[in-house]
Each structure stands twice: as structure tokens, then as C-alpha cells.
Amino acid sequence: MEHALSPTTLTELRRPRPYPAVSVLTPTHPREPYRAQDQVRLRNVVAEAKKQLEADPSVTRERRVDVERQLDQALAEVDLTYAEDGLVIFAAPGEHQVWSLARTVPERVVLSDTFLTRNLVSAQAAERPYWVLSVSADRVTLWNGSLDRITEARMGGFPITRRIENFDAERQERIGDTPSTFRDEGTRHFLKDADSALSAILRRNPRPLYVTGEQAALSLLDEIGGAGKHGVHIPHGGLAHGTREAVWHAIEPRITAENRRHAEAVARELVSARGRKAFAAGVDEVWRSAREGRVRLLAVEENYRVTVRGEAGDHLIPAAAGELDAREDIVDEIVEQCLETGAEVRFVPDGTLNDAGGIAGVLRY
């Protein structure tokens, strides 16, 4: 199952497909006792997708059989042991993908000539993804992080390793507690190659970067002057050979502090915007401003959800889930629209935007 949504991957998902491109969405639960219910619900929503395919007169039998086979293969790949809060299956002639999201999604089946990506985009923004580079003299690992989840990223040549030959007595000299390994020219070349590999990944998928390692390793990255120099340095050795739990334990205080700082900065911007009358509050007003491309900064409470329906395209009014024309993921629509128009999107702790109805925006004009 896929987790990390890069700009390149999103572009590929959004390209037109031969009709029908099927998007199947269902909420899931990361814990028991709901897993058995999730399995039944997932089978039912896939069955509904097949039913819609069969009922669509524009879908030829050949394509229907192909897409049904893709749906079955996707279903077989789902492992609810690792379920998060939402699951998305994409299936089209000759291809399928399964995405696990740390953000809930409405149960839905959509047949179109493109995949429905707004829930992935919103989940990615909510997860605040980041990279962690763990450096040692003989191994450099890259970790993919989002919220409190860390997994090793085996991509772009990572992990990068080398065998260190035994140094002679003079080269084994120590200065304080720091081995002279990081003053060795071979180590410099090794870390420079790792930094170049990191730069290539950051160009394709830019994110905040945290770098862990002994202080001598971090100082050497500063001297090299590449991408590693500009990450947030956390002096902590041993993590290039460590577990994801050890990496998380080392970076968690800094991640928590950064999230707190960002939430406080958003609150200050919203107060300032009120004073300048460049402020939108509530789902209806923010939705209209987002459609007009006026939102510069969007703030959303982490678990804010609302079901609405449109009235003559001008206003949103509350609706119950399952109602005709109900839009259960209107918040995800707003998030995607704001990102498309270059706005910054920040998810903040629940209760932060009580006076704004859970969602607010700083306007460009």
C-alpha cells in the first residue's frame, strides 16, 4: 500500500485515463475491534464499484472485465493490519494502486476519466511530511516521516553504505571523544556522494529535513555545504544503524516544538488578518474565497469535517451524509483548491479555531 505522495506521483495520478478510471474510497480503523467490519465494508464498496461498471452502458465488456480484474488485484493487496484512517483504491484499464491515508475519507465510488485525488492531497497536507537523514562514517539512511510515523525510505540509492578499511595507528588517533574518521578524505567523499543523492530527492520531493549524526559528521556536512547543511541538525549518533523507534525518539522533541511554533504563528497571522479585514471564517465563506483564488493561508482543525450541499453554486448549506448531492469531503476540496492556487495550508489542533467554525483563511485581497 502506498503512503508517500510526491509531486511527480500526483502529476501521474492526475493524468487522464481511458474511461473508466475508478476511485474507491472507504474509511478504515487502525485498531481492533473494527478491523473485521472494515474488511466487510471494503468488499461491499468494491462490489458497488463493479455494479456501477456493469450498469454503465459506455463501458465495453472488455474494459469492464479488465477493470474488475484490477479491482480484485487491489483488494488482494490490502492488508488491514496496517490500516490507518482511510483507504483509496484506484483502478483503470491495465493498472491499479492502493493508498493508505492517515486521514478519514467518505465512502464513495467515482467513475471518471481521471482518479479522484483530493483526499490524497488533503491527507498529505495534514500529515506534514518530512525527511530524516541519519549519517555515520559507513552508512547513511533516509527516513520518510509524517506526524509520528517513520519508515525507512529505500529510494534514490539509500541506504548508502561503504566498507571502512582498518586505519593505521596514526589515522586511528582520537581528538577528545570524536574519532578522526570524519577528518578522513574517504569519509568526506562518501558523505558528499550521499548529500548529492539527497539533493536529487529534495528536488523531486521537497520537504523539511532533519539530519542526525555525531557532531563531527554534522560539522563535515556543514563544510560540504550541500543540502544536508540546510537541514535541522540533531546531534545524535548511531541512528544510521538504528531502528525507526530510535530515530523517532531522537527527533520527536524537535518535531513537537516545530508543530507548536507553526500553530502559534498561524494564530498570530489570523489575528492580524482580522484587523486588516483580510479574514474568512466558516466553511461557506472560505469555500467561496478558495474558488476565487483569494486564500493565501488556510488554517483547518485536524479533525474538522462537515457535510454540505450546494445551492445554485453560490452557497453551501449543511447536509446529512448520504443525502442526494451531499459533499462529505468538502474540506478536502477546499484544501486541494487552496494548494492549487499557491496557498499555504496548515492543520492546527482541534479547538484552535472555535471562533471561526473550525476553518479560516487569510486572504490575499
Side-chain angles (χ1 to χ4, degrees):
M1 294 192 292
E2 304 286 344
H3 294 274
L5 182 67
S6 70
T8 302
T9 302
L10 180 59
T11 299
E12 166 61 19
L13 287 175
R14 283 176 166 170
R15 69 171 175 80
R17 259 78 179 173
Y19 186 86
V22 181
S23 303
V24 177
L25 292 73
T26 184
T28 51
H29 300 82
R31 300 178 185 85
E32 295 286 6
Y34 303 103
R35 204 162 286 154
Q37 298 175 25
D38 287 346
Q39 190 66 57
V40 172
R41 179 180 227 168
L42 178 58
R43 286 198 301 265
N44 288 343
V45 72
V46 169
E48 172 60 26
K50 292 181 178 180
K51 182 179 177 182
Q52 291 191 25
L53 284 169
E54 190 167 4
D56 191 333
S58 64
V59 179
T60 64
R61 181 183 183 282
E62 182 182 8
R63 283 205 173 165
R64 175 175 60 81
V65 170
D66 186 348
V67 175
E68 286 179 347
R69 182 169 59 251
Q70 299 296 332
L71 286 170
D72 287 338
Q73 291 175 5
L75 191 58
E77 294 172 9
V78 173
D79 186 350
L80 290 176
T81 304
Y82 303 102
E84 299 174 273
D85 297 304
L87 189 75
V88 178
I89 292 175
F90 295 136
E95 64 173 319
H96 68 271
Q97 294 187 35
V98 180
W99 288 82
S100 178
L101 308 182
R103 181 169 168 81
T104 190
V105 299
E107 186 171 302
R108 173 178 294 174
V109 174
V110 177
L111 274 61
S112 184
D113 58 357
T114 57
F115 292 137
L116 184 68
T117 61
R118 62 173 170 257
N119 305 96
L120 272 66
V121 171
S122 182
Q124 179 84 346
E127 288 179 350
R128 297 184 289 276
Y130 53 88
W131 297 115
V132 181
L133 189 76
S134 295
V135 178
S136 72
D138 64 342
R139 182 180 174 89
V140 180
T141 53
L142 183 67
W143 303 86
N144 177 29
S146 57
L147 299 178
D148 59 353
R149 184 178 68 228
I150 290 281
T151 56
E152 187 175 352
R154 294 183 172 270
M155 58 186 293
F158 288 98
I160 300 174
T161 61
R162 71 165 182 156
R163 183 183 177 202
I164 300 180
E165 301 294 337
N166 290 330
F167 294 102
D168 59 32
E170 183 179 351
R171 295 177 70 187
Q172 287 286 353
E173 175 189 11
R174 290 176 178 270
I175 301 174
D177 290 327
T178 304
S180 60
T181 305
F182 291 104
R183 301 175 61 191
D184 177 73
E185 193 63 26
T187 303
R188 172 182 288 273
H189 284 303
F190 173 67
L191 293 190
K192 189 171 183 179
D193 289 344
D195 190 273
S196 296
L198 172 66
S199 296
I201 288 174
L202 289 174
R203 282 194 297 271
R204 295 192 303 269
N205 194 355
R207 300 180 184 177
L209 172 68
Y210 300 86
V211 185
T212 73
E214 297 177 30
Q215 185 57 60
L218 301 180
S219 297
L220 181 51
L221 285 176
D222 277 342
E223 291 178 23
I224 291 170
K229 174 182 179 179
H230 302 290
V232 177
H233 286 192
I234 302 174
H236 193 302
L239 297 180
H241 294 270
T243 64
R244 60 182 180 180
E245 291 80 11
V247 174
W248 171 246
H249 181 73
I251 68 169
E252 187 272 336
R254 188 64 63 94
I255 296 289
T256 300
E258 287 286 312
N259 289 342
R260 185 184 307 114
R261 182 176 65 82
H262 284 308
E264 291 169 353
V266 168
R268 289 193 297 270
E269 284 221 45
L270 292 175
V271 169
S272 175
R274 281 183 185 271
R276 303 193 312 270
K277 300 191 184 304
F279 180 80
V283 66
D284 191 44
E285 188 175 347
V286 172
W287 173 71
R288 289 199 308 273
S289 299
R291 287 200 309 170
E292 296 165 358
R294 298 175 58 206
V295 179
R296 180 179 64 78
L297 169 67
L298 177 71
V300 187
E301 290 186 357
E302 289 168 348
N303 293 298
Y304 175 64
R305 289 284 180 182
V306 61
T307 302
V308 300
R309 55 187 170 87
E311 184 175 281
D314 295 326
H315 296 281
L316 300 173
I317 59 176
E323 273 189 38
L324 187 64
D325 297 329
R327 298 159 75 173
E328 297 179 49
D329 55 356
I330 187 65
V331 175
D332 288 358
E333 284 190 45
I334 292 170
V335 169
E336 184 181 49
Q337 180 65 44
C338 287
L339 289 170
E340 287 291 307
T341 55
E344 180 183 3
V345 175
R346 290 288 179 186
F347 284 81
V348 297
D350 293 345
T352 304
L353 304 174
N354 278 340
D355 60 344
I359 186 169
V362 176
L363 304 182
R364 294 187 170 101
Y365 57 91

